[in-house]
Amino acid sequence: MKTLLLVDGSSYLYRAFHAMPDFRNKDNEPTGVIYGVINMLRNIHSRYPSDYSVCIFDAKGKTFRNDMYAEYKANRPSMPEDLASQIEPLKETIAAMGWPVIIKSGVEADDVIGTLTNKANKQNISVTISTGDKDLAQLVNDKTKLINTMTNEELDEKGVERKFGVKPNLIIDYLTIIGDKADNIPGVEKVGPKTALKWLNEFGSLDE
């Protein structure tokens, strides 16, 4: 079976920004994020060699989610300038390394990853997704797994169920009930993870 490695580049950006020292070049321009992400890409590719590899980034501007819900991610501060200034040279460097880079306006990196995963699975290609984003747990199946290189956590179908208490096909239902503070999305008032799991175990799905 062929293999596809999908890297959530936007997730890597922030991890490198907070983890790396404040490296600078001779012109005093910040380079820590570039250095950190490149090393992470080399590491993930050596640990999970694949037939195909793609690095995906969020595009600038709003997405269809902002049209649906104006307060989506409204709680997040703007990107620090020292991070923003490194993004374009980083993308150029990644492309020069031979990695395809995908950025699609109007959607998030998550959406591109979901689309590529679905298409790959239909062609009997197994997928490894490198991300720290819990939302992508909904994509896990017998051909797809998640890798969080920061925690060395690897989630297959059983791993998702152990971590969240529900199978991958119920991740959307679960997060809909409890909400997501990181994305500024409210859940059902006064309902936490325990009650959400109780309801889903009892009724089988949010619709039910």
Side-chain angles (χ1 to χ4, degrees):
M1 185 183 291
K2 295 284 188 178
T3 54
L4 170 64
L5 173 63
L6 298 176
V7 171
D8 182 354
S10 294
S11 174
Y12 273 32
L13 279 177
Y14 281 93
R15 283 172 50 187
F17 181 69
H18 292 293
M20 297 300 298
D22 184 22
F23 290 152
R24 301 268 167 171
N25 63 15
K26 62 183 177 60
D27 297 318
N28 199 38
E29 297 167 331
T31 59
V33 169
I34 299 171
Y35 181 80
V37 172
I38 294 306
N39 279 337
M40 285 192 281
L41 287 175
R42 286 174 173 163
N43 178 262
I44 192 70
H45 205 271
S46 65
R47 289 178 57 189
Y48 300 94
S50 303
D51 296 294
Y52 316 105
S53 303
V54 184
C55 189
I56 303 101
F57 288 93
D58 290 328
K60 289 182 179 179
K62 295 183 178 181
T63 71
F64 69 94
R65 289 180 178 82
N66 298 102
D67 295 330
M68 296 171 65
Y69 179 54
E71 295 303 308
Y72 178 64
K73 292 186 177 180
N75 59 329
R76 294 193 182 184
S78 57
M79 182 179 289
E81 178 56 34
D82 277 358
L83 171 55
S85 65
Q86 297 181 69
I87 293 178
E88 289 307 316
L90 172 62
K91 291 174 183 175
E92 293 174 9
T93 305
I94 294 171
M97 292 170 65
W99 283 72
V101 176
I102 297 181
I103 304 157
K104 182 72 174 174
S105 62
V107 298
E108 297 183 353
D110 289 6
D111 303 305
V112 178
I113 290 171
T115 300
L116 292 176
T117 298
N118 185 261
K119 287 189 174 186
N121 287 167
K122 287 180 178 178
Q123 296 179 46
N124 202 35
I125 297 172
S126 68
V127 180
T128 298
I129 303 170
S130 180
T131 183
D133 192 337
K134 64 183 181 301
D135 296 348
L136 293 175
Q138 64 187 278
L139 299 175
V140 172
N141 56 41
D142 60 344
K143 295 188 184 75
T144 301
K145 62 183 177 182
L146 293 189
I147 304 296
N148 187 336
T149 51
M150 179 175 283
T151 60
N152 287 320
E153 184 177 47
E154 186 171 318
L155 295 180
D156 56 10
E157 290 178 292
K158 290 183 179 179
V160 170
E161 194 165 4
R162 283 195 299 269
K163 182 178 179 67
F164 297 100
V166 294
K167 295 180 179 179
N169 67 310
L170 286 177
I171 287 292
I172 296 175
D173 303 55
Y174 174 69
L175 294 177
T176 299
I177 294 172
I178 67 171
D180 190 341
K181 290 182 179 179
D183 290 341
N184 201 40
I185 297 175
V188 178
E189 190 174 353
K190 296 182 180 180
V191 176
K194 288 185 179 179
T195 302
L197 292 177
K198 177 184 176 183
W199 286 352
L200 290 173
N201 286 326
E202 180 177 351
F203 297 102
S205 72
L206 181 58
D207 289 343
E208 291 299 319

